[in-house]
Amino acid sequence: MAKMNMLQAINNALMLAMAADDKLLVFGEDVGHFGGVFRATSGLQDKFGKARCFNTPLTEQGIAGFANGLASHGMTPVAEIQFADYIFPAFDQIVNESAKFRYRSGNQFNVGGLTFRTPYGGGIAGGHYHSQSPEAYFTQVAGLKVVVPRNAYQAKGLLLSAIHDPNPVIFFEPKRLYRASVNDVPEDAYELPLGQAEVVREGKDITLLAWGAQMEVIENAAEMAAKEGIDCEVIDLRTLAPWDVESVAQSVRKTGRLLINHEAPLTGGFAGEIAATIQQECFLYLESPIARVCGLDTPYPLIHEKEYMPDALKTFEAIKASVNF
């Protein structure tokens, strides 16, 4: 074990993956000698050379198209989109090419070795062009997997699983935790299962569900609720596509209540899909309406970032409302 923050864990995962697979290439804006804007790729070019870790032009559509081409020829591209806010120029390539490559060929060819890494979310005073959480846009696209780690240990294991998964994966990294999340992380390679949620804390009164940076928020809210005698079960979804319906449903059948927290805006956020599915699966077990504590339906505000965030206090108030319904 070694103490690593999330950036170090991601860097370590990439180091191990590149050492094990000489077809693995890392590329994106400023990822080479500079090591990326957050330094997640530091040292990769020095160790593996400019042919395997290199800068691209500032064109997200080009990065994604290049990644598709490499993957279709058997390479293992790990492409970085510098901020998740910048992923939209690449949307067509990801949604209409990456996701559909295998399907449109009848499984004759694919881009299964493709991983897109991108930092997402707020909490760093980045304003509306560097703080968005666009994960829900990709969850309805058949052919893609969407993964979000909550800490350094999860980041390394899930990233290695994403790189080795035979499907294209979008790996969203909560950038406000890059240096804040420090864990004991195995120095050797290990993988954590995609598509499987994790029960972080068991409870009997209400299920709290989140992913990424919001896990810390709901864990803090659960501590606040415990002082009021409310026993919260806390679940990290980890993979949004495909998401672990059965684990969440099993928890809700026990607690009778569900609160979903995510940083993205309420309308069209992935919490809505979860709520619809769980009410269908668990309707006769529900003791109160499914609650959503999410970002606001506004552009991400720089000066009002604190008010925008679905924080622990908002979550705690929603927990009490649900339990007292």
Side-chain angles (χ1 to χ4, degrees):
M1 292 286 186
K3 287 287 185 184
M4 297 185 193
N5 63 29
M6 185 178 284
L7 279 173
Q8 292 166 330
I10 290 167
N11 182 266
N12 183 237
L14 293 171
M15 284 275 189
L16 291 169
M18 293 182 79
D21 179 5
D22 59 10
K23 296 184 297 181
L24 196 154
L25 308 179
V26 171
F27 52 91
E29 296 164 4
D30 301 318
V31 305
H33 178 71
F34 188 61
V37 68
F38 294 103
R39 305 300 188 269
T41 56
S42 291
L44 296 184
Q45 188 176 91
D46 292 338
K47 185 174 179 64
F48 298 103
K50 293 182 179 180
R52 294 190 59 200
C53 178
F54 50 88
N55 297 337
T56 65
L58 305 184
T59 166
E60 286 73 25
Q61 184 179 26
I63 293 169
F66 181 54
N68 283 331
L70 285 169
S72 70
H73 283 77
M75 302 299 285
T76 310
V78 180
E80 179 180 299
I81 305 294
Q82 193 172 73
F83 286 86
D85 312 63
Y86 303 167
I87 206 167
F88 297 109
F91 197 77
D92 175 58
Q93 281 292 323
I94 296 171
V95 170
N96 283 324
E97 300 299 337
S98 305
K100 298 175 174 62
F101 225 86
R102 179 182 286 117
Y103 178 83
R104 70 188 177 96
S105 74
N107 202 34
Q108 293 183 67
F109 46 84
N110 66 79
V111 293
L114 170 58
T115 304
F116 291 103
R117 293 179 42 253
T118 188
Y120 83 97
I124 64 162
H128 59 291
Y129 286 131
H130 299 83
S131 305
Q132 297 174 76
S133 301
E135 66 270 16
Y137 287 96
F138 298 95
T139 56
Q140 64 170 286
V141 182
L144 294 177
K145 291 191 176 183
V146 179
V147 180
V148 191
R150 76 173 184 273
N151 59 29
Y153 174 79
Q154 299 282 329
K156 180 176 175 178
L158 291 171
L159 180 55
L160 286 172
S161 291
I163 290 170
H164 297 142
D165 195 272
N167 300 278
V169 179
I170 304 181
F171 193 82
F172 286 99
E173 300 167 4
K175 58 181 175 284
R176 80 170 183 263
L177 298 186
Y178 267 158
R179 292 180 174 84
S181 171
V182 180
N183 300 105
D184 289 323
V185 178
E187 295 185 75
D188 293 334
Y190 63 93
E191 296 185 17
L192 298 173
L194 304 187
Q196 183 177 315
E198 180 186 8
V199 179
V200 176
R201 170 178 177 157
E202 293 192 356
K204 60 182 176 59
D205 295 327
I206 184 171
T207 301
L208 310 183
L209 179 67
W211 49 87
Q214 293 306 105
M215 284 303 302
E216 181 182 20
V217 169
I218 65 170
E219 288 181 280
N220 289 340
E223 291 292 337
M224 297 167 71
K227 295 176 182 177
E228 301 280 330
I230 301 171
D231 191 16
C232 300
E233 182 142 300
V234 176
I235 298 180
D236 178 8
L237 196 56
R238 300 199 297 190
T239 304
L240 277 64
W243 69 282
D244 189 352
V245 176
E246 184 48 42
S247 290
V248 179
Q250 183 177 344
S251 175
V252 174
R253 291 186 197 109
K254 177 176 70 172
T255 66
R257 300 176 179 87
L258 175 63
L259 181 151
I260 310 154
N261 178 303
H262 64 60
E263 195 177 315
L266 177 72
T267 302
F270 196 58
E273 175 62 29
I274 296 170
T277 301
I278 294 303
Q279 71 84 23
Q280 185 175 16
E281 295 287 324
C282 305
F283 183 75
L284 296 178
Y285 295 85
L286 289 171
E287 300 289 344
S288 65
I290 296 172
R292 293 179 291 166
V293 181
C294 306
L296 306 179
D297 289 340
T298 69
Y300 196 98
L302 175 60
I303 195 169
H304 294 300
E305 183 173 59
K306 188 176 186 301
E307 288 76 13
Y308 177 93
M309 296 295 285
D311 61 15
L313 184 58
K314 292 178 185 178
T315 306
F316 172 54
E317 293 297 329
I319 290 169
K320 291 193 292 182
S322 181
V323 170
N324 296 324
F325 179 77

